[in-house]
């Protein structure tokens, strides 16, 4: 019985709140728009602009804090860098790695010939810089490239 009483009280409260919200909403919909009377506006006359004073910014040679004269800055000439020819890597494929008593060896195919290479070993100007089971880092003519398995 106690639960039913609470349910009825809550139901009555919900109905009262929603009816209040509904009346407020209907009150806004049915309100008549007020007609504004015409307002007499004055004719707009812009003010005349005054001539502006022009200022010239000049540099001061003397530094007021150090009490020294600044030397003019030297102009730096732009020298374009020479474009390097792009390094064309030989055909390299990483096949896998071999763990031989703690030493890691890599199976690499360079221009069709298969080689077993240690770290920092140079073969046909190609040096294996680092690597693991998934990828190796190869250096060729100063450029480094990563090859994946």
């Amino acid at each position: 019985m106690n639960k039913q009483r609470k349910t009825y009280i809550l139901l009555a409260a919900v109905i009262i709140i929603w009816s209040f919200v509904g009346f407020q909403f209907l009150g806004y919909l049915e309100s008549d728009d007020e007609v504004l009377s015409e307002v007499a506006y004055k004719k707009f006359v812009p003010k005349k602009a005054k001539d502006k004073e022009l200022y010239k910014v000049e540099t001061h040679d003397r530094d007021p804090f150090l009490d020294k004269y600044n030397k003019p800055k030297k102009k730096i000439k732009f020298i374009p860098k020479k474009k390097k020819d792009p390094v064309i890597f030989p055909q390299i494929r990483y096949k896998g790695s071999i763990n031989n008593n703690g030493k890691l060896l890599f199976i690499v195919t360079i221009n069709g010939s298969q080689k077993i290479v240690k770290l920092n070993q140079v073969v046909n100007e190609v040096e294996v810089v680092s690597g693991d089971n998934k990828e190796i880092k190869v250096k060729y003519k100063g450029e480094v490239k990563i090859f994946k398995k």
Side-chain angles (χ1 to χ4, degrees):
M1 192 76 168
N2 196 11
K3 284 187 177 181
Q4 256 185 340
R5 180 185 266 166
K6 288 181 182 178
T7 305
Y8 288 131
I9 292 172
L10 289 174
L11 183 63
V14 168
I15 290 173
I16 290 170
I17 291 171
W18 277 107
S19 62
F20 180 71
V21 170
F23 282 123
Q24 290 290 325
F25 184 70
L26 289 175
Y28 287 120
L29 289 179
E30 293 179 3
S31 66
D32 294 331
D33 293 332
E34 295 181 17
V35 179
L36 298 175
S37 61
E38 290 186 28
V39 179
Y41 292 104
K42 295 181 181 178
K43 187 175 179 182
F44 176 70
V45 179
K47 295 180 180 178
K48 293 183 180 180
K50 297 178 182 177
D51 291 334
K52 293 183 180 179
E53 292 183 34
L54 298 176
Y55 295 99
K56 185 176 179 183
V57 178
E58 295 180 4
T59 59
H60 296 284
D61 294 333
R62 187 175 137 312
D63 187 356
F65 301 105
L66 299 177
D67 206 26
K68 295 181 181 178
Y69 288 93
N70 292 334
K71 296 179 182 176
K73 293 182 180 179
K74 295 181 181 178
K75 292 185 179 179
I76 300 173
K77 293 182 180 178
F78 176 70
I79 301 171
K81 293 183 179 179
K82 295 179 182 176
K83 292 184 179 179
K84 293 182 180 178
D85 293 332
V87 176
I88 299 172
F89 275 79
Q91 187 178 6
I92 299 174
R93 289 191 154 202
Y94 175 51
K95 298 291 186 175
S97 64
I98 302 170
N99 193 352
N100 186 12
N101 295 330
K103 294 181 181 179
L104 200 56
L105 303 173
F106 303 102
I107 303 170
V108 181
T109 305
I110 302 172
N111 288 335
S113 65
Q114 197 170 30
K115 306 279 183 180
I116 296 177
V117 184
K118 298 177 190 176
L119 279 178
N120 300 325
Q121 182 181 352
V122 179
V123 177
N124 296 344
E125 296 181 44
V126 175
E127 178 183 358
V128 177
V129 179
S130 67
D132 58 9
N133 292 334
K134 296 179 183 176
E135 64 185 19
I136 58 171
K137 212 180 255 188
V138 174
K139 184 176 182 182
Y140 178 73
K141 292 186 179 178
E143 295 222 9
V144 178
K145 194 171 182 182
I146 296 175
F147 292 95
K148 295 189 178 187
K149 196 172 184 181

